[in-house]
Amino acid sequence: MSTAPSSHHAPPPFRTLGIVGTGAMGRGIAQIAAQAGLTVYLHDLREGAVAEATAFITGMWSRGIQKQRLSEADGERYRTRLKEAATLADLSECDIIVEAIIEKLDAKQALFTELEKIVDDQTVLATNTSSLSVTAIASACRRPERIIGFHFFNPVPLMKIVEVIPGLRTDGDTVDRVEALGQAMGHFTARTTDTPGFLVNHAGRAFGTEALRILGESVTDHATVDRILVDQGGFRMGPFALLDLTGLDVSHAVMESIYHQFYEEPRFRPSPLTRQRLTAGLLGRKSGEGFYRYVEGKPQLPEEPPLPEAEPRPVWIGAEAADDRQRLAELVRRAGWPLENGDAPSSEALCLLAPLGEDATACALRLGLPAERCVAVDMLAGLDKRRSVMTTPATRDEIRDAAMALFGHGGTPVSAFRDSNGFVLQRVVACIVNVGSEIAQQGVAEPQVIDRAVELGLGYPRGPLAMGDHYGSRRILAVLDNMLAATGDPRYRASPWLRRRATLGLPLNAA
Ligand SMILES: NC(=O)c1ccc[n+]([C@@H]2O[C@H](COP(=O)([O-])OP(=O)(O)OC[C@H]3O[C@@H](n4cnc5c(N)ncnc54)[C@H](O)[C@@H]3O)[C@@H](O)[C@H]2O)c1
């Protein structure tokens, strides 16, 4: 981490910015830099690439003028700020150069050592790398103190976040100046340490990998997982729809890269499912088929299975938390089914369980209940948008059907699946909160920065720490502890950040 103190004088703002590599990322960075008032010099190795990028950017502005989001005068001003740099030497006058070339360490090192021969000592050299170490890129440079990570997200003008990543030898002035530039470009700047995946791609490890584990355990199918996480979790997109959108060629590589860079940390362990699907060419949208099939770009969503019909039967509530019992009793009453109030269920009763991180089987046995008449319901996100129920391997079909009919009463959708430690929602949410907590524990970024960066960079309904507080950090801790106890998989060991704050009753975003 850079600990060099920032100087007291205000750092001079950058006026001219060079872009090397004018592909998807470089052109986006060029666009918002010009909009922020900088003169932008564009350079690319490939003949014609700069002209293409310039046409693309000016096209964006023309569309803005057509839609009256941009005045003609501003559009014209922006256009005059874009210049072509035919050779690297034409970047010599730039205050800062941002590279967005191919993601290869030796190519980026070669570029920066070449640039160091051209520019003066004050020029900042920034890299848009997503997966390489900033420190490693800087290690090839004469003045590593002016090398910094400046990591944008695609599409750059819409994803209003940039990570600012000092390498171990980057000086404080460089960090302050680059952070000020990111803000002047209208982006939220997330200062992070130079660690694998930085902040956003690190925080995003849990969503997909835990969903893949659920699929790998045959708990249910991908469409059910997606429906639960969208309806109950409030995610904009389910993990499998997201994997399809990103493409497995990209996602699988990121999963493996971060896992190995953290020396096989089990929390990031990828799934053998993606390697196999990648080999089969099931990349996602771009190949026409991934987890979903795409027809004219639209995913073909399987229909939800219809709810079984069942006659009302007595219900006995074995949920342990008072508010869960209350909400379930209310639901049974509203459906008009008989509710049993005894200490033990009658021999006819459907028994409802509400475990955290425990499967239905273990919960039934622990409570001394007949597994063949038990159904567990996920109470973590409540009963409003969708209801998730799971059965033990001994649960009778007629009991499962009765539970589905009961929970579907009034038209709320119900997802039923096989026994799972932590259902679907609990385990995915708990893993997200846990990875976010560990990021805070490691000091990769400040707690509030972690939450905001994840909202902006990953589009989650809440950042991981706020998510833990929303669901209750003690409940999240219970999910993880019970999952760890049942599976023995260190993937589920709780971060000390989470355990300390949950047991002390402190918010997770308290530093
Ligand atoms: N695409 C994303 O979602 C994304 C997001 C964040 C960061 N990044 C990172 O940004 C960088 C660029 O990614 P991209 O998606 O824009 O790639 P891209 O393939 O769209 O563009 C790369 C451009 O760089 C040019 N180029 C390659 N080597 C060069 C060199 N040595 N000198 C000059 N020009 C060179 C290519 O001709 C091409 O125009 C990579 O480091 C990538 O990891 C990508």
Side-chain angles (χ1 to χ4, degrees), residues 20-21 23-25 44-45 100-103 108 128 130 151-152 154:
V20 183
M25 297 305 290
D44 199 287
L45 203 59
I101 66 166
I102 183 173
E103 185 75 342
K108 292 193 194 283
N128 186 50
S130 328
H151 180 224
F152 287 88
N154 193 18

Side-chain angles (χ1 to χ4, degrees), residues 310 337 350 352 375 389 398-408 414:
W337 287 33
L350 155 65
L352 297 181
V375 172
V389 299
E398 109 225 18
I399 290 288
R400 183 203 54 216
D401 288 354
M404 289 184 73
L406 171 66
F407 283 110
V414 182

Side-chain angles (χ1 to χ4, degrees), residues 332-344:
V332 174
R333 236 175 272 127
R334 237 185 259 154
W337 287 33
L339 184 63
E340 291 189 357
N341 286 315
D343 286 346

